[in-house]
Amino acid sequence: MTTRPFIVGNWKMHGTRSMLSEARAIDRAAERLIKVEVALAPPFTLIHAVHKEAGLIAVGAQDCHPADGGAHTGDVSAIMVKDAGASFTIVGHSERRAGYGETNALVKAKAEAAIAAGMSVIVCVGETEDDRAAGKHVDVVTRQLKGSLPDSDGAAERITVAYEPVWAIGTGNTATTDDIAAMHAAIRAKLVALYGEVGEAIRILYGGSVNAGNAAEILTTPDVGGALVGGASLTAESFLGIIVAAAERDEA
Ligand code: PGA
């Protein structure tokens, strides 16, 4: 597959307007590193400002509500984040699955709302340490895919999958490249089973403690189409190391 690597920064609940200078610096670098597709998912409160001030990179949300609007205090709909400048949203991040009890069915409803609003989606899946210790990791991820992926018309063209082992997120532990390759192959097989030939072209990102030091190795692992990056996306300096590794990937 020859698609451009996709490097997405997930700022989580970090960032006030003082962080816009980081977004601008990331945007300037992305202008030079055109081989890489770069995106940022800041908190809701910064989507509009990042969209305005970092116009070359894609801006996305970290979540959305499945309804278009209504009596849902504190929630934000897909239509709203699109209106603020988001072109995609992350759904099903493990911090939301674990912290808010989000089910596969809810994640799927959110993904379908985002697609109906005209955005693309990054659907996150990943096993816990216990799942892996019990040898259930492929089953767990396959079930998450089956239950969370949207099946509305044209959905497959708007999906990216992010494989993020829960035990690798924010811990400094990354999966081995063999484990990543094995899981990405299993995800690919499931995508093809669900969507047919279109499933071959869906990008699969790896996430979990990706940084400038390990990015080159991870990004050259078979069927890794990019990275979803948390901690190391919070400064332009650390994020750029990953973007540069992605730019150099096809030259290696
Ligand atoms: P991390 O987070 O890079 O800080 O491990 C990744 C993620 O949760 O998307």
Side-chain angles (χ1 to χ4, degrees):
M1 221 185 319
T2 56
T3 46
R4 286 197 299 166
F6 188 24
I7 306 295
V8 184
N10 170 14
W11 279 5
K12 308 191 178 183
M13 200 172 72
H14 298 288
T16 54
R17 282 178 297 161
S18 62
M19 257 174 78
L20 289 172
S21 56
E22 302 296 333
R24 283 192 296 268
I26 293 164
D27 196 54
R28 280 196 300 276
E31 188 175 10
R32 285 184 284 110
L33 299 165
I34 50 163
K35 285 188 188 162
V36 186
E37 193 176 335
V38 180
L40 276 183
F44 290 133
T45 48
L46 289 180
I47 289 174
H48 188 61
V50 172
H51 171 65
K52 285 274 167 217
E53 298 200 23
L56 293 170
I57 59 174
V59 183
Q62 299 169 15
D63 183 40
C64 68
H65 192 279
D68 290 348
H72 302 289
T73 302
D75 281 317
V76 178
S77 74
I79 289 173
M80 290 168 179
V81 293
K82 169 96 177 347
D83 182 60
S87 59
F88 71 93
T89 183
I90 296 170
V91 292
H93 191 281
S94 63
E95 287 155 12
R96 298 207 59 86
R97 290 179 187 264
Y100 298 89
E102 292 197 4
T103 60
N104 289 327
L106 178 59
V107 174
K108 178 176 177 173
K110 290 178 174 201
E112 290 187 342
I115 287 168
M119 290 190 290
S120 44
V121 286
I122 299 177
V123 180
C124 301
V125 292
E127 82 283 0
T128 64
E129 200 163 19
D130 286 351
D131 295 332
R132 184 164 279 273
K136 292 190 303 193
H137 45 289
V138 171
D139 275 1
V140 165
V141 167
T142 305
R143 244 181 296 121
Q144 287 175 336
L145 289 169
K146 186 165 183 289
S148 311
L149 286 170
D151 51 23
S152 42
D153 272 358
E157 284 82 5
R158 290 174 180 259
I159 295 168
T160 298
V161 170
Y163 167 54
E164 299 200 301
V166 176
W167 48 271
I169 295 176
T171 58
N173 301 323
T174 50
T176 64
T177 51
D178 282 353
D179 287 343
I180 296 173
M183 185 62 89
H184 281 224
I187 292 172
R188 176 67 62 210
K190 189 68 189 168
L191 291 172
V192 172
L194 289 169
Y195 297 115
E197 210 179 306
V198 200
E200 295 281 5
I202 294 175
R203 271 186 298 205
I204 308 171
L205 314 182
Y206 172 78
S209 298
V210 177
N211 58 42
N214 60 27
E217 194 185 11
I218 290 169
L219 292 167
T220 49
T221 301
D223 220 350
V224 173
L228 182 55
V229 184
S233 71
L234 293 173
T235 67
E237 196 189 350
S238 55
F239 198 39
L240 288 183
I242 298 169
I243 299 169
V244 167
E248 289 169 352
R249 179 180 80 164
D250 300 326
E251 290 157 15

